[in-house]
Amino acid sequence: MIELFNAREVDEMRPAGRFVASVLTALREAAGVGVNLLELDALAARMIADRGATSCYIDYHPSFGAMPFGFSLCTSVNDAVLHGLPHDYALLDGDLLSVDFACSVDGWVADSAVSLVVGAADPADLALITTTELALEAGIAAAVVGNKLGDIGAAIGDVARAAGLPINLQFGGHGVGRTMHGDPHVPNDGRAGRGLPLRAGLVIAIEPWFMHGTDAIWTDPDGWTLRSADGSRGAHSEHTIAITENGPLVLTAR
Ligand code: MG
C-alpha cells in the first residue's frame, strides 16, 4: 500500500532525517585507516541511545536475511555493496566503505547511506562514488509532482549508463514512513513517463548503488552481506525525500 503523508506529518519526519544525517556525518568523521567496523557500529548505537531513537536494523529480519540483522549499521567494504553485516575488521588504506543507516525518531523513519574511501583513494573508486551521488541528485531532481515513478529510475539509469556502469534492479529505493520499507519499490532504472504518478506527500528513499564491473551479486556466508559477483567494488548513496508541492524535500540532507 502506498501511503501519502500530509504536510504536518512530513514536518514531523524532519527530526528523524536530521538525526540520521548527523549520525552519517559522525561516521564519516570517525571512519579511517585502522578503525574497526564494530567501533563504527558502536558509535551509531551510542548516538541512537543518546537521542532516544529506535534502530530499524537490530531486529530486522526480512525474507532476504538469514537471521535478525543484530547491528545498528550496515557497513559494506570493497566488493561488499549492500547490507554489509559489521564484522571485526579494521579498515585498510584505500578501502571503499559504504555505510547505510536507518532509525526512527518519534515514530518516524529516515534512511540514508554514504560511501567513502579511507586513506589513499584509487581515483576509479572516487569516480564510482561520484557517479552514485550524481545519480542520487538526478533521481531527486526527477521526484516532482507531475512526474511518474519511472522518471526517477530513468534519471538514475541515465547517469549510470553515461558512466558505463551496469544496473542491478533487484534492490532499490522504497517508501518510508513509520516503517523502513514500504511501497513503492523505487528501481534504479526505468522508463521515463511510466508508472506511478508522483504526488505530494509521497516519502521515499532513493538509493542508487553501482559496481564497477557487474550488476550481479551474491550473498556472503554471513547471511546478509551482498557482494559483487566479479569481486569489483561497489558504492551506494541514499537519501530519504518527501515529494512536496514545492519540489523534493531532502529529509536526510547533511
Ligand atoms: Mg538505507
Side-chain angles (χ1 to χ4, degrees):
M1 193 191 76
I2 292 166
E3 234 181 314
L4 294 178
F5 299 98
N6 64 35
R8 180 183 51 80
E9 290 170 316
V10 169
D11 245 9
E12 287 174 6
M13 295 176 188
R14 289 174 186 264
R18 275 197 299 268
F19 175 67
V20 165
S22 74
V23 171
L24 286 184
T25 296
L27 289 165
R28 270 197 91 108
E29 284 167 9
V33 176
V35 172
N36 197 298
L37 299 179
L38 297 179
E39 293 172 51
L40 296 178
D41 181 69
L43 170 60
R46 207 158 53 237
M47 290 183 75
I48 286 174
D50 289 347
R51 180 65 175 79
T54 305
S55 171
C56 292
Y57 288 178
I58 294 281
D59 297 320
Y60 189 56
H61 189 189
S63 57
F64 54 82
M67 70 286 290
F69 190 76
F71 292 88
S72 301
L73 196 64
C74 290
T75 54
S76 303
V77 179
N78 297 337
D79 67 311
V81 63
L82 287 182
H83 305 166
L85 197 70
H87 287 279
D88 180 10
Y89 173 83
L91 290 165
L92 300 174
D93 191 33
D95 275 352
L96 196 174
L97 169 69
S98 301
V99 289
D100 192 345
F101 178 70
C103 72
S104 99
V105 174
D106 303 330
W108 295 105
V109 170
D111 187 357
S112 186
V114 66
S115 291
L116 57 104
V117 177
V118 297
D122 180 335
D125 289 339
L126 295 180
L128 182 68
I129 293 170
T130 299
T131 301
T132 65
E133 291 171 348
L134 291 174
L136 176 58
E137 280 175 31
I140 292 171
V144 295
V145 174
N147 269 359
K148 303 277 178 66
L149 192 63
D151 291 305
I152 297 176
I156 293 170
D158 284 350
V159 173
R161 269 183 293 278
L165 296 172
I167 303 160
N168 174 297
L169 293 176
Q170 230 177 317
F171 293 95
H174 48 88
V176 176
R178 291 185 173 86
T179 58
M180 176 169 60
H181 283 146
D183 292 327
H185 174 60
V186 184
N188 286 325
D189 200 5
R191 293 173 67 186
R194 298 297 184 93
L196 177 82
L198 301 179
R199 292 169 60 190
L202 186 66
V203 178
I204 52 176
I206 299 177
E207 49 176 320
W209 60 281
F210 308 123
M211 301 168 282
H212 280 299
T214 183
D215 60 351
I217 47 176
W218 62 284
T219 306
D220 184 277
D222 71 14
W224 273 99
T225 305
L226 299 179
R227 297 184 182 277
S228 68
D230 64 355
S232 65
R233 293 181 169 193
H236 180 200
S237 296
E238 176 180 17
H239 276 308
T240 297
I241 67 130
I243 295 174
T244 79
E245 296 291 354
N246 303 317
L249 169 67
V250 183
L251 291 162
T252 51
R254 293 187 294 279

